[in-house]
């Protein structure tokens, strides 16, 4: 787990702000996706793509001059998929860190032809890592149950429905995404 752990910091500048003077959520999502990709690539040593995002809630506002700290690490691996946990903090001028959000990304390892490939097993070496693995097992089961309820079977049809997302008009895109992706999905990384 520690081998793939990644910590990245960003100083918030004007280009990162939204119209209300706070961190633009899309910018943070991009940074989180990058960290998840780095963590997954370090583990599987091949290309990866984002398959889904479980949760992304903003708990603390971030303003110009704040430092954003993202910490990512693996919590679970499947055959070709990896669950990456990313914790985001805002570091204020006094040095204190406050949680901004926690997200779980599902990354899929790809070969040179963009087909899913088997990933190395995860070496869990501490009680804390074991507890995180067990919590991840419950999230995996929940994802499978939700996919079964939505699709009528447990096959994960990656990445074809996500790719089709690109070929619908903007007016259709949110509707199409709702009917094809039971878990909020990020766009594939190019």
């Amino acid at each position: 787990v520690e081998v793939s752990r990644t910590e990245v910091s960003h100083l918030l500048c004007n280009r990162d702000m939204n119209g209300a003077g706070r961190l633009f959520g899309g910018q943070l999502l991009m940074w989180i996706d990058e960290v998840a990709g780095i963590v997954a690539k370090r583990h599987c040593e091949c290309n990866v793509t984002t398959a889904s995002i479980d949760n992304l809630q903003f708990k603390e506002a971030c303003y110009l001059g704040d430092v954003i700290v993202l910490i990512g690490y693996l919590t679970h691996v499947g055959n070709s998929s990896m669950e990456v946990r990313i914790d985001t903090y805002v570091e204020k001028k006094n040095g204190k860190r406050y949680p901004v959000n926690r997200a779980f990304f599902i990354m899929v390892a790809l070969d040179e032809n963009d087909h899913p490939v088997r990933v190395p097993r995860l070496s869990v070496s501490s009680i804390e890592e074991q507890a995180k693995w067990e919590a991840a097992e419950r999230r995996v089961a929940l994802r499978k149950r939700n996919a079964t309820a939505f699709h009528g079977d447990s096959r994960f049809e990656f990445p074809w429905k996500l790719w089709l997302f690109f070929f619908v008009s903007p007016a259709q895109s949110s509707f199409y995404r709702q009917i094809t992706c039971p878990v909020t999905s990020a766009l594939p990384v190019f």
Side-chain angles (χ1 to χ4, degrees):
V1 173
E2 279 300 311
V3 174
S4 61
R5 184 181 188 279
T6 301
E7 183 171 327
V8 175
S9 298
H10 294 277
L11 176 64
L12 294 185
C13 301
N14 286 323
R15 68 177 178 268
D16 305 320
M17 300 293 110
N18 65 21
R22 292 185 296 277
L23 172 62
F24 178 56
Q27 179 65 56
L28 180 59
L29 179 58
M30 184 183 81
W31 289 337
I32 294 171
D33 193 26
E34 287 175 351
V35 169
I38 292 168
V39 169
K41 279 184 124 173
R42 285 180 174 172
H43 180 73
C44 67
E45 300 177 350
C46 64
N47 286 330
V48 297
T49 191
T50 305
S52 71
I53 304 169
D54 265 8
N55 191 3
L56 192 62
Q57 297 177 6
F58 298 94
K59 301 192 182 299
E60 182 75 26
C62 308
Y63 299 97
L64 189 66
D66 287 344
V67 175
I68 300 299
V69 180
L70 301 104
I71 302 170
Y73 53 89
L74 283 174
T75 53
H76 190 269
V77 297
N79 289 322
S80 61
S81 65
M82 297 158 279
E83 182 186 79
V84 181
R85 174 178 158 173
I86 305 95
D87 293 320
T88 305
Y89 301 92
V90 59
E91 187 175 286
K92 298 295 183 176
K93 292 175 178 80
N94 63 8
K96 290 186 178 181
R97 289 183 178 178
Y98 302 91
V100 172
N101 68 37
R102 172 173 294 155
F104 292 95
F105 275 53
I106 307 305
M107 308 299 288
V108 175
L110 302 173
D111 66 14
E112 60 278 350
N113 296 314
D114 288 337
H115 294 104
V117 294
R118 189 166 183 80
V119 296
R121 302 298 90 201
L122 188 61
S123 175
V124 177
S125 57
S126 71
I127 293 172
E128 181 183 0
E129 290 174 358
Q130 181 64 36
K132 289 176 182 176
W133 174 273
E134 290 168 4
E137 286 277 302
R138 291 189 295 276
R139 285 188 298 275
V140 168
L142 181 62
R143 284 184 206 112
K144 286 182 181 178
R145 189 177 75 215
N146 288 344
T148 301
F150 188 81
H151 292 293
D153 63 30
S154 61
R155 291 176 292 165
F156 183 59
E157 299 173 351
F158 176 81
W160 310 116
K161 287 189 177 181
L162 292 175
W163 290 102
L164 291 174
F165 175 77
F166 289 107
F167 300 106
V168 296
S169 71
Q172 297 169 322
S173 64
S174 63
F175 174 73
Y176 184 79
R177 189 164 164 173
Q178 289 172 2
I179 63 168
T180 60
C181 302
V183 176
T184 304
S185 299
L187 301 178
V189 177
F190 293 101

